[in-house]
Amino acid sequence: MRKWIVALIIILPIVEFWGYVEVAERLGVGKTVFLTIATSIIGGFMMQFEGRKVMTDSKAQMTNGQVPGRMALDGLCVFGGGILLLLPGFVTDIIGFLLVFPLTRPIFSALLMKWIGKKLRDGSITFFRR
């Protein structure tokens, strides 16, 4: 896991810088900066709206006596996507919008469910009940 984090810390800024250079060459520096600020603002509003929707849906499931497992994964996706949207960069913005957008979020939540299930089977993650 640490290798992935180190690789991400090294590779992501290089890819983001390359994206900035490419977009700035095509649109100009002013439009590139405006686009960066606009995607952060729009992403913040999307995260806020989708986060509230996930919270109300999970509250409704809990009042019906159901466990909001899928809603918790959706909440993690919205939270992670919101963090990526607030970071400056076009690659992180694309991934963040995909995580926050409700039509593409089930793909990521299914992948997250698979990963968590694998970690639970391996014993890497332990689950405690009260």
Side-chain angles (χ1 to χ4, degrees), residues 7 9 17 25 28 34 38 56 62 67 71-72 90 93 99 102-103 109 119 122 124 127-128:
I9 288 172
F17 182 73
E25 283 180 359
F34 173 75
T56 56
M62 284 191 285
V67 177
M71 288 296 131
F90 294 113
D93 285 346
L99 282 168
L103 295 178
S109 63
K119 291 292 183 180
D122 291 347
S124 301
F127 178 71
F128 295 103

Side-chain angles (χ1 to χ4, degrees), residues 47-105:
M47 178 186 72
Q48 197 174 29
F49 178 75
E50 290 297 324
R52 284 187 182 143
K53 194 164 78 168
V54 166
M55 287 298 293
T56 56
D57 290 347
S58 62
K59 283 181 185 178
Q61 281 187 349
M62 284 191 285
T63 46
N64 290 337
Q66 298 172 337
V67 177
R70 180 66 76 183
M71 288 296 131
L73 288 177
D74 282 349
L76 280 173
C77 287
V78 168
F79 180 73
I83 289 174
L84 289 175
L85 284 168
L86 294 176
L87 291 174
F90 294 113
V91 176
T92 54
D93 285 346
I94 291 169
I95 297 168
F97 275 121
L98 289 174
L99 282 168
V100 172
F101 194 63
L103 295 178
T104 55
R105 192 181 323 134

Side-chain angles (χ1 to χ4, degrees), residues 103-115:
L103 295 178
T104 55
R105 192 181 323 134
I107 297 167
F108 291 101
S109 63
L111 290 172
L112 188 61
M113 177 80 91
K114 244 188 218 183
W115 181 76

